[in-house]
Amino acid sequence: MVTAARQPAPAQDAARAFPEDFLWGSATASYQIEGAATEDGRTASIWDTYARTPGRVRNGDTGDVATDHYHRWREDVALMADLGLGAYRFSLAWPRIQPTGRGPAAQRGLDFYRRLVDELLDKGIQPVATLYHWDLPQEVEDAGGWPERGTAERFAEYAALAADALGDRVSTWTTLNEPWCSAFLGYGSGVHAPGRTDPVAALRAAHHLNLGHGLAVTALRERVRADARVSVTLNIHQVRALTGSEGDADAVRRIDALANRVFTGPMLRGAYPHDLLQDTAKLTDWSFVRDGDLRRCHQPLDFLGVNYYAPTVVSAADGTGTHTSDGHGQSAHSPWPGADQVAFHQPPGETTAMGWAVDPSGLYDLLRGLSAEFPRTPLVITENGVACDDYVDPAGQVNDPARIAYVRGHLAAVHRAIADGADVRGYFLWSLLDNFEWAHGYGKRFGTVYVDYPTGARIPKASARWYSEVVRSGVLPAN
């Protein structure tokens, strides 16, 4: 999404009540928390392979154990219930359900998710299942991965297996989480699994993720409950110009096309934006888009999941900012094919432990912009949160006032957007637990529950208790 200028947030001087039916939850991802990397028939995913490759992940960390959620799931659900969460957004591990990425389901893998879902329902917590949060079976990658059409077809078959097993009890489904990261960080810059650095492969992957999404929506609709909701989650970039120049405005347009409209176009409009095709024409003629693909990509959705952490500031290349200032990791290869003339800049002001700007106004602008562009599509914030340098104090407590301030500010932005007409139905705080933070390993803590990795012990942070009060009351307290 594009915004012309940063909008100042109003002073936070009064309590704010959210709609009574607003959905409050927290979120996780399978490879980041489950562990049990070789148990019950699970095979390697691209993240297992990537993490085990020297030099790819900080300190050589892997998700082999992670937070051991595979064995401690009952304890984790009890934590959710204690916090009063209304919903839990989790992802299914494709290599746990369909180890080779083709053929019948592995029942032991499905049984884990059946038990988890049943426990959530027993505690009154709505399960929100994401089919794909980046852990592609390695055998599917070996056959070409997302740049190949066959992966989209395999994904639809996997979606059908998951729906057949869980469709009678899971009422909310998400096809993909942040396909931009899968395509452009995984196949463009190589800072995510599988670590390839081919700009054309990244564009091909983007299309086949769009296609896989559409095919999976169709498979879900044929199998899940009639009242089930189906969605996709996108990390829509809130793109801002460094200055008011025409060159910077064109930089915004280019990045908006590559970051956002490459997915919202096919998924929500049934077409790729013409300027994206022009910008990338020197790389590819897009002949991998076949007749009928865009119709298959464009399937009705019950809501759009939105992940937001920080805005993106760009300019025409001026010899200062580079693609490595985009907040997506260091690489000699850009995740922005066809945008070599665009520079990225660190926004001014406070930053998080990830080095990302703290700017709730970006979330407000994003929600208002999406509601204006897609007025018939409800929105749910499926991820928003912050990494902090958390530690256990001598009293055994974890106090994280910076996280409370971050979440309070962003929830105030959500409330303001709703008041100004945005159709926002829910908020999922990232993350329930400290976990394996991709290429950062265990060095970054996003959780509202502290995890002592050597023992696996869970310690709710001050932010968990604060968020629990917001969830229970449906009211964001005044400062």
Side-chain angles (χ1 to χ4, degrees), residues 113-134:
Y113 296 110
R114 291 185 179 107
R115 292 190 297 267
L116 173 63
V117 167
D118 287 347
E119 186 74 4
L120 290 167
L121 293 173
D122 184 65
K123 294 294 191 293
I125 301 168
Q126 181 183 144
V128 178
T130 298
L131 288 170
Y132 187 73
H133 200 132
W134 307 351

Side-chain angles (χ1 to χ4, degrees), residues 176-190:
L176 305 171
N177 179 79
E178 297 187 353
W180 185 86
C181 294
S182 298
F184 295 101
L185 300 184
Y187 295 93
S189 66

Side-chain angles (χ1 to χ4, degrees), residues 16-24 84 86 126 415 418 424-427 470-475:
R16 296 164 171 81
F18 281 77
E20 288 188 10
D21 59 352
F22 195 79
L23 185 63
W24 297 96
Q126 181 183 144
H415 187 275
I418 293 172
V424 186
R425 306 286 181 89
Y427 177 91
V470 175
V471 169
R472 293 179 192 280
S473 67
V475 175

Side-chain angles (χ1 to χ4, degrees), residues 265-472:
M267 290 182 182
L268 301 180
R269 298 191 186 281
Y272 282 105
H274 182 65
D275 61 325
L276 171 69
L277 304 183
Q278 286 186 317
D279 290 345
T280 57
K282 291 183 179 179
L283 295 170
T284 177
D285 61 3
W286 290 77
S287 58
F288 47 81
V289 180
R290 298 184 186 176
D291 290 346
D293 278 4
L294 291 169
R295 174 179 52 79
R296 297 181 183 95
C297 297
H298 185 208
Q299 299 297 320
L301 296 177
D302 297 293
F303 66 89
L304 174 65
V306 178
N307 291 358
Y308 173 84
Y309 293 92
T312 300
V313 177
V314 300
S315 73
D318 60 0
T320 57
T322 68
H323 76 265
T324 56
S325 299
D326 66 358
H328 294 301
Q330 298 296 309
S331 171
H333 303 273
S334 173
W336 305 102
D340 295 340
Q341 61 274 67
V342 174
F344 293 80
H345 302 268
Q346 174 68 37
E350 181 185 0
T351 59
T352 72
M354 292 289 288
W356 299 343
V358 178
D359 189 348
S361 75
L363 181 55
Y364 171 84
D365 291 341
L366 181 62
L367 297 173
R368 289 284 289 141
L370 285 169
S371 289
E373 189 172 359
F374 305 106
R376 291 183 292 277
T377 303
L379 307 173
V380 172
I381 295 105
T382 40
E383 285 184 29
N384 175 241
V386 59
C388 298
D389 295 321
D390 302 318
Y391 62 92
V392 182
D393 68 19
Q397 305 295 312
V398 181
N399 293 303
D400 54 345
R403 181 171 288 106
I404 293 172
Y406 178 98
V407 178
R408 178 190 283 118
H410 285 77
L411 283 176
V414 175
H415 187 275
R416 180 182 169 214
I418 293 172
D420 289 345
D423 186 5
V424 186
R425 306 286 181 89
Y427 177 91
F428 287 79
L429 180 57
W430 184 271
S431 172
L432 177 69
L433 303 167
D434 289 336
N435 53 41
F436 176 84
E437 185 50 40
W438 309 114
H440 296 279
Y442 296 101
K444 304 296 182 184
R445 293 182 178 271
F446 275 90
T448 54
V449 175
Y450 185 94
V451 176
D452 178 69
Y453 293 117
T455 67
R458 275 83 160 130
I459 305 172
K461 303 174 187 179
S463 60
R465 300 304 178 192
W466 179 88
Y467 185 57
S468 176
E469 289 302 312
V470 175
V471 169
R472 293 179 192 280

Side-chain angles (χ1 to χ4, degrees), residues 143-153 196 204-205 208:
W146 283 110
E148 298 302 320
R149 186 180 193 84
T151 302
E153 296 164 348
R196 290 162 60 179
R204 290 175 61 93
H208 294 128

